[in-house]
Amino acid sequence: MAEAGFPGQHTTTTVTSSTTVQTNIRFDPEYVKTVPGILKVVQVSCSLLGFICILCSKFGVLNQGTYFSWIAMIAFWFSGILLGLYLFHLVEKFYKIPWLKIEFVFTALWTLLYLIAAVLVGTAYYDDAHTAAAFFGSVATVAYALDAVVKFMAVRAGGLAQGSRVVSKQTTSAVSSPREGY
């Protein structure tokens, strides 16, 4: 069999990609039953509950509580808005925006920031509200870490945040008989 580069042989590789999205806005409660949906609900819930715990503490205005509240509220609003966008398929409507990359960067960063916040309020020993906030912060840290892994794997696979993309690769090799006179 002839090797690549010899006269009379050529290889053709065809890669086809098909992106299927529905651009109509619709409510889809099934999203919260998926792994990314469950993680978002946990992130939003833990962020709000941790924030409330710090607010209920008489020591909530100290540095640790203020930092935790700041992290929790940014996480609450960012993840809450994304949850709404996914529930109404607005992410699918605007599929050209690199949602997965944006979410990956945010979830990876917030994993670290939430870890710091949970450790700070957990080691403060002021009251039970700080301990409860540390628990919710720890759960949120795990949820953001898992979501970062899910987003990283989806980005590496070339996936879409919503909708579907099918990539197929076909390689064809052809060998023609050598011409006489060589």
Side-chain angles (χ1 to χ4, degrees):
M1 179 172 204
E3 294 189 31
F6 284 98
Q9 178 184 11
H10 67 279
T11 303
T12 305
T13 303
T14 306
V15 177
T16 57
S17 176
S18 172
T19 303
T20 306
V21 292
Q22 293 180 10
T23 56
N24 59 326
I25 298 172
R26 62 198 182 283
F27 179 68
D28 182 14
E30 295 297 312
Y31 175 74
V32 296
K33 296 177 183 174
T34 65
V35 171
I38 292 168
L39 289 172
K40 282 217 184 355
V41 168
V42 169
Q43 292 162 1
V44 169
S45 302
C46 287
S47 295
L48 182 60
L49 291 171
F51 178 74
I52 290 170
C53 288
I54 293 296
L55 282 182
C56 292
S57 171
K58 59 185 172 183
F59 303 106
V61 294
L62 298 178
N63 291 339
Q64 297 94 334
T66 303
Y67 176 74
F68 186 93
S69 295
W70 183 76
I71 295 299
M73 276 295 96
I74 291 175
F76 172 78
W77 286 108
F78 186 86
S79 298
I81 289 170
L82 274 173
L83 179 61
L85 292 175
Y86 276 106
L87 282 172
F88 288 96
H89 283 264
L90 288 166
V91 169
E92 188 173 11
K93 183 173 182 67
F94 302 108
Y95 70 95
K96 294 198 181 232
I97 296 173
W99 294 105
L100 290 175
K101 290 179 183 176
I102 293 167
E103 284 188 81
F104 168 68
V105 169
F106 181 81
T107 56
L109 181 61
W110 245 249
T111 298
L112 176 65
L113 295 177
Y114 241 130
L115 178 64
I116 294 168
V119 168
L120 286 175
V121 297
T123 57
Y125 296 114
Y126 293 129
D127 56 7
D128 291 338
H130 275 71
T131 305
F135 169 76
F136 290 120
S138 299
V139 174
T141 299
V142 171
Y144 277 108
L146 290 172
D147 205 11
V149 170
V150 168
K151 298 300 185 256
F152 178 74
M153 290 176 8
V155 167
R156 295 257 326 226
L160 292 173
Q162 273 185 323
S164 62
R165 177 176 290 151
V166 178
V167 178
S168 61
K169 183 177 181 180
Q170 180 181 4
T171 304
T172 309
S173 294
V175 178
S176 35
S177 59
R179 286 189 238 155
E180 297 198 23
Y182 278 111

